[in-house]
Amino acid sequence: MDHHVFEAGNVVLQSGLTCRNAQLAYQTYGRLNAERSNAVLMMTPFSAQHTDIAWQVGPGRALDPARYFIITPDQFGNGLSSSPSNAVMPANHARWPRFTVTDNVRVQRRMLQESFGIERLALACGWSMGGMQAYHWAALYPHSVERLAVICGAAKVAPHNYVFLEGVKAALTADAHYQDGYFTGFPERGLRAMGRVYAGWAMSQTFYRNELWRNTGCSSLEDYLVTYWEGLFLKRDPDNLLAHIWTWQNADISANDLYNGNFGAALGAITARALIMPSATDLYFQVEDNRLEVAQMRNATLRVIPSDWGHRAGMPVQHPEDDRFIEAGLRELLDAPAGVA
């Protein structure tokens, strides 16, 4: 096993259901200093595991393990932490008790406190759903987050973002193996359809017009759709995907007993020095949503990634220009004084 596991016990969720014997998988890089002041929390995005984003940590990078103690918790529902795919009856498959982002963050905080004695984070960061988790950290525990970096993410799901996910979900559940809320077999057609729907939203119009998919090593547009997008989701468990879609669609930093739906109050409570980095061409985490959020925060900067890679600008494995832009922002944020807490 290439990761650690925090045994969270029986976790009562916002829904009122209990996830019994909950397990939070996580990985660490670097060493926690004596003052416990160099902790960075880097959260996982939709359907991904810590191994998918480990490349962002390394010598010479902003998240350098020689300088920081970096912890990557695996979001519940991703197949490593407690998920539909590893649950036992009766709370398995469609009966798995779904986690909100708030549920995730609350268990993550317990893990940091009980496993490492960490009370404050030098940085909470993430891309996409990882950024949503980082936003929740800064709102739910403002005195525990010194800096916040949200890359192509948001403080709550926007209405259009919700609708996009409805299309993705509909493609997956249209498979013949999905009956009455359950998968009765492997939904290959549904997963392939989901990949093609996702491809049209995750990347920008300019990305396709300029054939930037060639940078991925694919020989044609069809090769790209099959190899990259269908291939990506064929590796995922369908119940896990539906669980993460639910979590994403219900994301809202104010949907808890601390803020009772007052979104402005939740944003205004964030004391971290924040860097919010949307992609100029993201079709579902849009710049304007972040602009409205930043206007209600105490110490936030909006810095738009000038990219044609759409939402994937925030995960620049194959486009070094975007990687350099994001790295420069993270370095500047980490070198700046912490937010007032």
Side-chain angles (χ1 to χ4, degrees):
M1 184 169 65
D2 74 334
H3 58 270
H4 312 282
V5 174
F6 173 68
E7 300 288 349
N10 295 342
V11 177
V12 179
L13 307 175
Q14 283 192 293
S15 64
L17 295 174
T18 297
C19 181
R20 289 172 171 78
N21 302 312
Q23 293 186 320
L24 176 65
Y26 66 94
Q27 184 56 284
T28 64
Y29 312 87
R31 180 174 298 179
L32 185 64
N33 62 20
E35 298 79 18
R36 295 184 172 85
S37 62
N38 68 333
V40 170
L41 200 64
M42 180 176 69
M43 271 70 72
T44 56
F46 173 68
S47 82
Q49 299 176 350
H50 67 267
T51 52
D52 296 304
I53 59 173
W55 65 273
Q56 295 175 292
V57 176
R61 294 188 64 84
L63 301 184
D64 190 334
R67 183 178 180 187
Y68 298 105
F69 180 59
I70 301 131
I71 312 104
T72 300
D74 284 280
Q75 191 175 180
F76 285 103
N78 80 345
L80 291 182
S81 293
S82 293
S83 306
S85 62
N86 57 33
V88 296
M89 294 176 66
N92 57 335
H93 300 298
R95 289 291 187 264
W96 188 70
R98 290 167 173 166
F99 281 67
T100 62
V101 180
T102 294
D103 291 327
N104 272 273
V105 167
R106 285 173 173 167
V107 178
Q108 291 169 8
R109 186 166 189 254
R110 281 186 52 205
M111 177 268 289
L112 293 181
Q113 292 174 323
E114 296 175 26
S115 298
F116 303 104
I118 295 172
E119 295 293 340
R120 290 171 66 89
L121 295 169
L123 172 68
C125 64
W127 168 67
S128 193
M129 281 185 81
M132 285 180 143
Q133 292 169 73
Y135 245 136
H136 278 68
W137 258 96
L140 290 169
Y141 307 111
H143 299 299
S144 295
V145 180
E146 296 179 348
R147 298 170 188 83
L148 167 67
V150 176
I151 304 164
C152 302
K156 69 176 179 180
V157 66
H160 185 261
N161 197 329
Y162 185 98
V163 173
F164 145 66
L165 291 168
E166 282 295 293
V168 170
K169 182 169 61 177
L172 175 57
T173 56
D175 191 284
H177 288 295
Y178 188 76
Q179 298 290 331
D180 300 321
Y182 290 86
F183 289 102
T184 59
F186 182 68
E188 179 178 339
R189 289 184 178 180
L191 290 166
R192 289 183 185 274
M194 177 179 174
R196 287 184 177 250
V197 172
Y198 220 101
W201 284 103
M203 319 307 291
S204 75
Q205 294 94 335
T206 307
F207 172 89
Y208 288 109
R209 183 186 309 117
N210 294 339
E211 298 186 349
L212 297 180
W213 45 263
R214 293 188 183 278
N215 293 354
T216 68
C218 293
S219 56
S220 66
L221 180 57
E222 180 66 11
D223 185 46
Y224 172 66
L225 293 176
V226 173
T227 304
Y228 188 85
W229 287 104
E230 292 185 14
L232 173 65
F233 289 111
L234 284 168
K235 294 185 293 186
R236 307 305 192 199
D237 179 271
D239 284 308
N240 290 353
L241 290 172
L242 290 180
H244 268 196
I245 289 172
W246 186 92
T247 300
W248 185 345
Q249 288 186 308
N250 287 275
D252 182 344
I253 61 170
S254 68
N256 49 67
D257 53 10
L258 183 61
Y259 298 111
N260 296 306
N262 190 331
F263 188 58
L267 286 169
I270 296 173
T271 58
R273 180 182 294 274
L275 178 61
I276 311 301
M277 287 192 284
S279 164
T281 54
D282 197 325
L283 298 177
Y284 47 89
F285 283 106
Q286 291 207 302
V287 173
E288 185 60 20
D289 292 316
N290 286 156
R291 197 185 310 279
L292 293 170
E293 292 166 355
V294 166
Q296 300 177 74
M297 296 167 70
R298 303 187 193 188
N299 189 9
T301 299
L302 181 73
R303 187 169 301 174
V304 181
I305 307 169
S307 175
D308 293 329
W309 283 69
H311 184 60
R312 298 289 299 190
M315 186 53 55
V317 182
Q318 296 147 326
H319 33 119
E321 298 85 357
D322 294 342
D323 187 37
R324 286 192 290 270
F325 186 93
I326 294 168
E327 281 282 296
L330 289 176
R331 283 196 176 90
E332 181 181 321
L333 178 63
L334 285 164
D335 288 341
V340 178

